[in-house]
Amino acid sequence: MAADVRKRGSPEKGAVASDGEHVENAPGEDGLRSRRSARSRFCGLLSKLLIIAAVPIGAFGFKYYQDRQLMKRHESGLRTLGTEGLFLFSSLDTDHDLYLSPEEFKPIAEKLTGVSPPGEFEEEVPQDPNGETLTVEAKMQPLLLETMTKSKDGFLGVTHSSLSGLRAWRGPATPSSVFFASQFRAFLPPKNKLEAGEPWWVVPSELNIFTGYLPNNRYHPPTPRGKEVILHSLLSMLHPRPFVKSRFAPQGAVACIRAISDFYYDIVFRIHAEFQLNEVPDFPFWFTPGQFTGNIILSRDSSHVREFRLYVPNNRSLNVDMEWLYGGSESSNMEVDIGYLPQMELQATAPSIPSFIQDEEGNMIDSRGGAGGDPIQFVFEEIHWKSEISRKEAAQRLELMLYPFKKVTYLPFSEAFSRAQAEQKLVHSVLLWGALDDQTGIFQCDSPVTRYCLTLSVHTGSGRTLRETVLESSPVLTLLNQSFISSWSLLNELEHLQADVSNPALSNIASLHLEKYNFPVEMMVALPNGTVIHHINANYFLDQTAMKPEEDSTMFSFAGGFEDPSTATYIRFLQDGLEKAKEHLL
Ligand SMILES: *[C@@H]1O[C@H](CO)[C@@H](O)[C@H](O)[C@H]1NC(C)=O
Ligand SMILES: *[C@@H]1O[C@H](CO)[C@@H](O)[C@H](O)[C@H]1NC(C)=O
Ligand SMILES: *[C@@H]1O[C@H](CO)[C@@H](O)[C@H](O)[C@H]1NC(C)=O
């Protein structure tokens, strides 16, 4: 990643060049290392807890023994297979024990035999063969390669095989499929979310600060379970390798009721899934649309589906994030890019209908007009919604569920200061380096795109750490909400404001901000008149909060509960800002 940031730097602004040191030291490997260390930190913590819980010291010895064994297996794996070979092996070894179980070997078996073994796909209630069915059609127009940043130099330096999966994906894998209406019951609300606008997790996110992120070197999705099954089947119509749970946050699927009638719900959903486009021997290529969204109108017992649509929004100029590896080690050799996908959608062609119905004489007849008969025309009653919210409102509820940090409003830079003046508050501002200059202001773009801005400007670790943990933690949200006006800006936005002579006041405030900026991200506290009274660099912040696994974890104070150290540090940063403001206002 480090190399990548350097490559994409905007040399005319000197953002990278002038701060090469940061690029050398911090990004990429460090960010990724910090993910892993989060995991090992958790293991470290766990082992400490175990010890405290009076488990004999033997536990520690056992862990040490296990680690040694793993290390040995790793070394022997490397000797036998070489780096690239071991990489492929690890991509199958999902539990990282350096042995392949039959379950882990399954994708290879499927590939060699061309047969999917009977999986746990339908671990749920079997479908009623007389239940209603609906036809879902898939439509897609391939990603416009010319919208990718790397197309500007004709994909110079991009190995041809990296993009092979992307280039080959010209249309849906399965243009049309028939589903049972009852399969869509996964979208029904749980019993405690029966009001319009109350969001719930269809597929909960499993990421947190301890689990970190799922690995990049995988080719085959895990076996979907429970409610993931229908999402997996639907997304498989587009591409054979959908990962219902994306590697990074936001992960999972959320839904809420938009409208309620006596018999129906209109449910709006949002899914963060991604596709793996490459296969062995090419390195993985991840294709992550900004989001999948859509709605389903279904009966409360899910016996009838009236409408179903799932799509990738295409009304922004960039809507897909792509990441691919170009070497056999997941940590460093990763490229990122972004592009525009004009169309990707699934839609029910018509409401679900029973396959067979009885006529007056009690004969079963094929509703689709088999055996020479005409297809039966069904007439559907009109739905009268008794309570509803707008689609936009529903989308906002889902967004807040996925991005709790949005519970605090982030105003554009130009508004933040006038608001701060009016409310007599300080401005909490985050200034990011960004290479993109159109609509990708951090809160206007969908998540992976945001992530891309951050991946470019910050290294993976700090961008993600900032948004996903610190700015979402409830003590920080509360403090920001009470005492600050918040704002995010990209570096080049402020440079434009600074250069704008028609608004000297704002231009001056922008200059004061830019003076304090250091690559890649600077967090600042400013007085309403623009004077920056406190600031902290994201890399410095991360260094402060990153705990080395071997360090004593006294920071996890038992008295104070398990407060994440970065949250505590951020609160301290904001409180210091408030203190300094007092001095200024005396
Ligand atoms: C894109 O469409 C969504 C839903 O239709 C809407 O809420 C959003 O404002 C649109 N965004 C842009 C940039 O037009
Ligand atoms: C922010 O403050 C307002 C008004 O005091 C309150 O209604 C809202 O729930 C608060 N939001 C958060 C995220 O704390
Ligand atoms: C903003 O206000 C503070 C305190 O009143 C003052 O010290 C500072 O010079 C002012 N800054 C500008 C840019 O006017």
Side-chain angles (χ1 to χ4, degrees):
M1 199 68 68
D4 193 52
V5 171
R6 224 174 293 125
K7 239 179 280 162
R8 305 165 145 283
S10 50
E12 70 278 11
K13 294 193 191 104
V16 180
S18 70
D19 210 345
E21 218 181 31
H22 277 300
V23 179
E24 293 301 336
N25 299 345
E29 283 94 301
D30 263 9
L32 289 150
R33 209 182 303 138
S34 71
R35 285 190 213 167
R36 269 196 292 273
S37 73
R39 216 174 293 158
S40 45
R41 205 187 302 161
F42 181 55
C43 299
L45 177 67
L46 202 64
S47 58
K48 284 197 178 60
L49 278 179
L50 289 175
I51 293 164
I52 288 162
V55 169
I57 298 297
F60 190 76
F62 180 63
K63 176 148 180 10
Y64 176 77
Y65 169 77
Q66 272 187 321
D67 287 352
R68 289 287 311 153
Q69 289 299 311
L70 267 184
M71 188 95 81
K72 273 196 203 144
R73 264 180 242 161
H74 183 88
E75 280 161 12
S76 103
L78 206 57
R79 273 197 306 277
T80 318
L81 297 171
T83 324
E84 315 287 82
L86 187 61
F87 172 82
L88 296 178
F89 182 89
S90 317
S91 77
L92 296 169
D93 179 24
T94 49
D95 60 4
H96 312 292
D97 65 351
L98 287 161
Y99 285 116
L100 286 191
S101 66
E103 171 84 3
E104 288 167 343
F105 186 71
K106 211 167 100 182
I108 298 297
E110 274 177 40
K111 203 161 167 52
L112 295 177
T113 61
V115 181
S116 334
E120 295 145 279
F121 276 76
E122 293 302 329
E123 62 189 33
E124 295 186 26
V125 204
Q127 308 303 330
D128 170 8
N130 297 320
E132 295 192 11
T133 59
L134 67 157
T135 302
V136 173
E137 277 182 2
K139 294 203 177 106
M140 96 170 239
Q141 293 169 43
L143 184 111
L144 302 179
L145 290 171
E146 66 271 22
T147 58
M148 290 173 70
T149 316
K150 294 214 187 329
S151 72
K152 301 218 160 73
D153 59 7
F155 295 100
L156 196 71
V158 178
T159 326
H160 189 75
S161 63
S162 297
L163 303 185
S164 58
L166 178 65
R167 289 186 200 272
W169 192 21
R170 309 300 299 169
T174 315
S176 172
S177 278
V178 175
F179 290 89
F180 282 104
S182 58
Q183 286 178 276
F184 289 83
R185 72 173 160 265
F187 289 100
L188 284 176
K191 289 195 173 52
N192 58 348
K193 301 287 178 190
L194 299 178
E195 302 280 333
E198 289 187 342
W200 70 89
W201 290 97
V202 179
V203 174
S205 169
E206 283 174 357
L207 297 177
N208 61 48
I209 181 169
F210 294 124
T211 54
Y213 307 86
L214 300 177
N216 294 312
N217 66 329
R218 292 180 302 161
Y219 294 92
H220 304 280
T223 306
R225 289 171 210 281
K227 293 180 179 177
E228 293 167 17
V229 173
I230 179 69
L231 300 186
H232 182 270
S233 308
L234 287 164
L235 294 173
S236 297
M237 293 181 68
L238 296 161
H239 191 279
R241 289 182 300 281
F243 284 67
V244 172
K245 284 192 178 136
S246 55
R247 290 156 303 145
F248 302 108
Q251 183 195 64
V254 290
C256 76
I257 299 179
R258 190 199 65 79
I260 303 174
S261 84
D262 286 335
F263 298 105
Y264 293 94
Y265 292 125
D266 180 4
I267 288 165
V268 174
F269 53 82
R270 173 165 168 162
I271 302 163
H272 283 272
E274 57 191 345
F275 299 103
Q276 173 51 250
L277 304 194
N278 278 354
E279 286 191 277
V280 176
D282 296 336
F283 287 116
F285 183 106
W286 294 95
F287 185 95
T288 315
Q291 60 167 288
F292 296 86
T293 185
N295 77 303
I296 180 167
I297 298 180
L298 83 171
S299 65
R300 291 172 172 221
D301 62 1
S302 82
S303 61
H304 178 62
V305 172
R306 181 62 70 88
E307 265 179 46
F308 173 76
R309 180 165 180 242
L310 181 160
Y311 64 101
V312 173
N314 62 357
N315 62 352
R316 298 187 199 282
S317 62
L318 296 165
N319 58 357
V320 178
D321 180 50
M322 287 160 280
E323 294 181 329
W324 63 94
L325 302 180
Y326 58 88
S329 129
E330 91 156 271
S331 56
S332 46
N333 306 326
M334 182 132 100
E335 293 264 22
V336 293
D337 209 339
I338 191 168
Y340 180 68
L341 177 72
Q343 185 187 31
M344 177 170 280
E345 64 176 292
L346 301 176
Q347 190 158 13
T349 52
S352 64
I353 49 168
S355 309
F356 293 93
I357 52 168
Q358 282 185 346
D359 65 11
E360 300 85 59
E361 282 105 52
N363 304 315
M364 293 299 267
I365 44 177
D366 185 343
S367 64
R368 279 162 219 279
D374 287 331
I376 293 168
Q377 296 294 315
F378 286 89
V379 178
F380 300 99
E381 90 236 83
E382 210 181 303
I383 302 177
H384 298 286
W385 299 117
K386 286 166 61 182
S387 114
E388 64 183 311
I389 59 173
S390 70
R391 229 159 258 282
K392 191 169 172 215
E393 169 101 41
Q396 280 167 356
R397 302 283 174 97
L398 297 184
E399 186 155 54
L400 277 187
M401 185 87 162
L402 290 162
Y403 301 102
F405 74 98
K406 289 196 176 180
K407 287 180 187 154
V408 165
T409 313
Y410 282 78
L411 295 177
F413 192 79
S414 53
E415 280 173 43
F417 286 89
S418 45
R419 180 78 69 87
Q421 245 141 29
E423 296 189 16
Q424 286 295 301
K425 284 183 175 174
L426 299 176
V427 175
H428 160 248
S429 158
V430 180
L431 181 51
L432 300 162
W433 180 77
L436 303 162
D437 57 4
D438 50 4
Q439 85 305 2
T440 49
I442 221 70
F443 288 122
Q444 291 146 29
C445 51
D446 285 330
S447 63
V449 180
T450 311
R451 207 148 55 62
Y452 175 80
C453 307
L454 292 170
T455 315
L456 284 182
S457 53
V458 199
H459 51 83
T460 343
S462 69
R464 287 166 181 157
T465 306
L466 202 70
R467 206 190 63 203
E468 288 155 21
T469 65
V470 174
L471 298 181
E472 291 185 353
S473 81
S474 63
V476 172
L477 287 177
T478 308
L479 188 56
L480 288 176
N481 192 33
Q482 270 169 8
S483 312
F484 295 87
I485 300 295
S486 291
S487 174
W488 280 75
S489 332
L490 294 179
L491 185 63
N492 62 357
E493 287 171 3
L494 289 204
E495 284 168 343
H496 285 144
L497 288 181
Q498 186 185 27
D500 180 5
V501 289
S502 68
N503 191 341
L506 199 55
S507 158
N508 187 40
I509 294 180
S511 303
L512 293 171
H513 245 64
L514 290 169
E515 274 172 25
K516 304 289 187 211
Y517 173 78
N518 281 299
F519 179 83
V521 175
E522 194 82 22
M523 288 86 84
M524 309 194 202
V525 174
L527 299 176
N529 67 8
T531 299
V532 175
I533 51 171
H534 197 29
H535 60 106
I536 187 169
N537 183 267
N539 284 336
Y540 177 76
F541 172 77
L542 276 191
D543 289 345
Q544 291 278 295
T545 56
M547 283 196 310
K548 315 277 177 305
E550 65 274 18
E551 267 172 25
D552 190 277
S553 7
T554 42
M555 275 177 93
F556 283 105
S557 104
F558 285 92
F562 289 120
E563 189 162 89
D564 151 35
S566 57
T567 297
T569 309
Y570 209 74
I571 294 222
R572 204 171 325 121
F573 163 69
L574 294 173
Q575 279 169 344
D576 288 350
L578 289 168
E579 279 302 310
K580 292 188 184 196
K582 280 190 203 143
E583 292 163 23
H584 278 271
L585 299 173
L586 277 179

